[in-house]
Amino acid sequence: MKHVWEGKEIILGVTGSIATYKAVEILRELTGRGANVTVVMTESAQRFVAPLTFETLSRRPVLTDLFTLDYNKHIGHVAAGERADLLLVAPTTANTIAKFAHGLADDFLSNLYLSTTCPVLLAPAMDREMYAHRAVQENLALLKARGVHTLDPEYGELASGLIGRGRLADLSTILQIVEDLLGRQQDLTGETVLVTAGPTQEPLDPVRYLSNRSTGKMGFAIAQAARDRGAHVMVVSGPTSLATPAGVLRTDVTTAEEMYQAVLERLDTTTILIMAAAVADYRPSTRAPQKMKKQETITIELLRNPDILAEAGRQKGSRVLVGFAAETEDLLENAREKLQKKHLDLIVANDIRVGFAGETTRVTMLDRQGRVEELPELSKREVAHRILDRVVVLRRGEHA
Ligand code: C5P
């Protein structure tokens, strides 16, 4: 897996703990595999190990001071964050976890954390009681829900003399997760991913429409994640207030019929179609040219909208097709049925009784080989990556 490491930009954040010395070994292993590593140290980390050690081994200046400009005259923490493929903080203290969780920014590392969009991996190390404390656990849960990767500390003897969970994760475990996260990054190079997002709106008259509560967040998270992994990404979006991720080609549509046209026009060039949009199943049979007047009762006739995904399934070719199944009952059965009926490779089922407009979601993935993967509640960004992990495997025709 040498190519995974070669030339990658890793920021190694080092915070102050008895385990700080272990970061030296981590740095040696990372550079030894071919990564370029920039070390950022907190003030307390510098009380345990001198920056000179890291500077010598990384052959780069160690970043400690928020109030200097780097050699490009950029603001240091922003410039460092922009270049990074991964931010690894090892060891991570309870204090740094709390700062990240609550957005405090009072040193180089905490500012960099807030300004970077690269994947973040934390390897906590602290005393047993501290790690078990609800404050720490809840802060970690908050970070995980936002897509931060965290490693559980190991069980064993601690500097305090206690035995328990708190030791920095094993070096080989840390390296393995870093390799997984780096490897993830360019595995969609050469692919053209078409993602649909948001609701559709089906007009009744010039001011009223039928729609649903979809926000488009899941679709946009997938678009961004696919872009980060090297794909050429197009989004066909229903009405949402979300900003377009940089580098993503966006087409806005309003109705299901418009979405149908937009998707089919782009199908030829698409290698992976991910239908995250909540397409309205019905549209009013007529659209009143003027605002409808009040009456005691009105009857609206609804017509079935075309099923975009089912049509894409009929023209499948070698394309990978991913659908979503938002259900309020019999989640897996319904999802499995849609997977088969629409000729999909993967279906992402979410029980919308737990809500679907938030920042996090809880889904189960079913693929055409019958494999079922139930994910815990995660940020939509992390769910997007998990979906793409499966897509990469399906695209390669591997039956993992
Ligand atoms: O059958 P159901 O609407 O539950 O299937 C959901 C999946 O099908 C979603 O991926 C959704 O984007 C897609 N769909 C579609 N066209 C429709 C309705 C749903 O592509 N008219």
Side-chain angles (χ1 to χ4, degrees), residues 85-99:
D85 293 302
L86 178 74
L87 168 60
L88 163 66
V89 184
T92 324
T93 56
N95 184 42
T96 296
I97 290 168
K99 285 204 270 183

Side-chain angles (χ1 to χ4, degrees), residues 28-140:
R28 293 187 56 156
E29 293 292 333
L30 297 175
T31 53
R33 283 165 168 74
N36 302 318
V37 186
T38 302
V39 177
V40 178
M41 294 181 84
T42 61
E43 200 167 329
S44 57
Q46 297 167 58
R47 306 282 286 268
F48 287 92
V49 180
L52 185 61
T53 308
F54 291 102
E55 198 153 318
T56 310
L57 292 171
S58 69
R59 297 197 182 82
R60 288 182 169 188
V62 170
L63 305 174
T64 53
D65 188 359
L66 195 53
F67 302 104
T68 51
L69 295 174
D70 79 357
Y71 53 90
N72 283 329
K73 295 280 175 283
H74 282 124
I75 300 168
H77 61 272
V78 177
E82 274 171 2
R83 285 192 297 263
D85 293 302
L86 178 74
L87 168 60
L88 163 66
V89 184
T92 324
T93 56
N95 184 42
T96 296
I97 290 168
K99 285 204 270 183
F100 286 5
H102 299 283
L104 296 180
D106 62 353
D107 61 7
F108 198 103
L109 184 61
S110 50
N111 275 274
L112 185 141
Y113 167 74
L114 289 180
S115 60
T116 190
T117 55
C118 72
V120 178
L121 174 62
L122 307 182
M126 66 198 74
D127 197 41
R128 180 182 75 185
E129 313 304 338
M130 288 175 78
Y131 183 68
H133 198 285
R134 268 185 67 186
V136 173
Q137 287 304 314
E138 284 173 16
N139 285 336
L140 280 170

